[in-house]
Amino acid sequence: MKAKCKNIVIITGASSGIGLEFARKMDLCFESIDEFWLAARREDRLREAAGQLRHKTRLFPVDLTDSGQMDTLENAVMAENAVVRMLIQSAGVGYTGIFCERDTAEALEMLRLNCLALTELAHRMIPYMRRNSRIIQMASGAAFLPQPGFAVYAAAKSYVLSFSRALNRELKPLGIPVTCVCPGPVDTPFLDIAGQRDRMPAVKKLALTDGGRVAEQALRDSFYRRELSVCGLPLKALRLLSAVIPHRILLDFMAPEAGRHDPDTRYKPGNHRENPQGRNPADRKG
């Protein structure tokens, strides 16, 4: 007798922020889901998150930039004869600062988690999906145009946007919609820890939104098979403006101070190693 399939939802970055908000929102109404599988690096935070949910959960304290640890997740899907009804990729990391003043390792970490791990996990999980399964992938409003002072992060999220939209078309014959979520700054503890709230330009403060609202909008857009989820009028306006106004003009308006600095204090060989900031964990986003 063939074993019954287990319907699961996989959420990465589920220990906090928008990932946790997705779990909370879905926990209220997704009665057909047997288990929520939550993945993040910190097991203690995952246990706290699971304690807030009614659904049965399974925890995966893994580093998704490590393919070997990602094997743990895929092997569990196979062993449980699970059907991935929804894959929500909200794990991410961001470091602010001028590119050449930051450590190279930070830039590579952003690319590995925000781009490579997201791509690999999608490729691994799609074979375990069925018609009407869903994929939600977190990008950012930063994907709409370059971001001086956030250059690698914005470029990485631009990749997520392009990849998600193309993947949505490729999976259309299989009936698996892909929704890319592009929020603006989200009101999370990261803003205070990294000191971003006080330094945030006024134009970005207008786009500040709540993580629960972003997750709710994304789930609604995914239900209606929309390829893009943009929460709030400021971000919708930014998307429109970035499509019709040359980016150089928008950048002059949004980041007028970018590039106005003393060249003797930047772009020196080994400058990132002299930077007293070093690798500050408080600069992480996600």
Side-chain angles (χ1 to χ4, degrees):
M1 182 175 176
K2 190 174 181 179
K4 179 184 176 182
C5 293
K6 179 182 292 185
N7 293 317
I8 66 169
V9 168
I10 297 176
I11 306 175
T12 69
S15 62
S16 63
I18 295 178
L20 179 55
E21 292 296 341
F22 272 116
R24 287 170 173 163
K25 298 292 183 184
M26 296 176 67
D27 187 50
L28 298 175
C29 55
F30 280 59
E31 301 299 335
S32 62
I33 299 300
D34 297 310
E35 291 182 4
F36 283 15
W37 289 17
L38 310 180
R41 295 185 184 187
R42 293 183 53 181
E43 185 173 5
D44 57 333
R45 298 288 295 274
L46 280 176
R47 293 191 181 280
E48 291 178 12
Q52 301 176 36
L53 307 178
R54 297 181 300 113
H55 277 79
K56 183 177 180 181
T57 59
R58 183 163 178 178
L59 309 183
F60 292 86
V62 294
D63 178 357
L64 294 173
T65 63
D66 183 339
S67 292
Q69 294 188 45
M70 199 180 289
D71 287 341
T72 303
L73 183 56
E74 184 177 4
N75 291 340
V77 173
M78 288 190 292
E80 294 290 335
N81 192 32
V83 176
V84 180
R85 291 298 183 182
M86 184 170 282
L87 170 63
I88 300 178
Q89 301 223 61
S90 58
V93 62
Y95 294 102
T96 61
I98 300 299
F99 173 68
C100 286
E101 290 187 339
R102 306 298 299 190
D103 195 312
T104 306
E106 296 172 342
L108 296 180
E109 182 183 2
M110 284 188 276
L111 294 175
R112 289 190 185 105
L113 183 57
N114 298 345
C115 299
L116 298 182
L118 175 139
T119 304
E120 181 177 355
L121 187 59
H123 196 274
R124 286 176 180 247
M125 293 298 112
I126 288 170
Y128 303 101
M129 294 181 166
R130 290 184 178 176
R131 182 169 293 275
N132 294 323
S133 289
R134 297 287 199 277
I135 298 175
I136 294 177
Q137 304 197 132
M138 290 300 305
S140 166
F144 298 145
L145 77 166
Q147 298 275 316
F150 220 9
V152 176
Y153 179 83
K157 293 305 184 178
S158 183
Y159 166 83
V160 175
L161 174 58
S162 178
F163 170 60
S164 299
R165 298 182 76 173
L167 186 61
N168 180 56
R169 296 304 177 99
E170 290 185 5
L171 296 180
K172 188 165 287 188
L174 301 180
I176 303 174
V178 180
T179 299
C180 185
V181 186
C182 295
V186 179
D187 193 0
T188 67
F190 166 80
L191 294 178
D192 298 308
I193 295 171
Q196 288 293 301
R197 194 181 302 276
D198 294 334
R199 296 184 316 204
M200 187 182 299
V203 67
K204 287 192 175 183
K205 287 183 179 180
L206 291 175
L208 190 64
T209 190
D210 174 74
R213 185 183 172 201
V214 172
E216 185 174 346
Q217 179 70 53
L219 291 170
R220 184 182 304 113
D221 289 331
S222 176
F223 176 81
Y224 287 110
R225 298 172 176 264
R226 295 169 182 150
E227 69 175 14
L228 192 61
S229 180
V230 181
C231 183
L233 288 177
L235 262 293
K236 291 178 181 178
L238 174 62
R239 181 193 173 204
L240 177 61
L241 290 172
S242 66
V244 299
I245 299 178
H247 285 181
R248 61 179 175 79
I249 296 177
L250 289 175
L251 292 177
D252 285 342
F253 172 72
M254 297 181 65
E257 74 287 351
R260 298 176 185 173
H261 55 80
D262 181 356
D264 291 334
T265 64
R266 300 184 181 182
Y267 312 126
K268 299 185 300 182
N271 188 55
H272 65 284
R273 290 189 292 272
E274 298 172 7
N275 183 1
Q277 283 183 303
R279 299 197 62 212
N280 184 357
D283 291 335
R284 291 181 63 104
K285 182 178 183 180

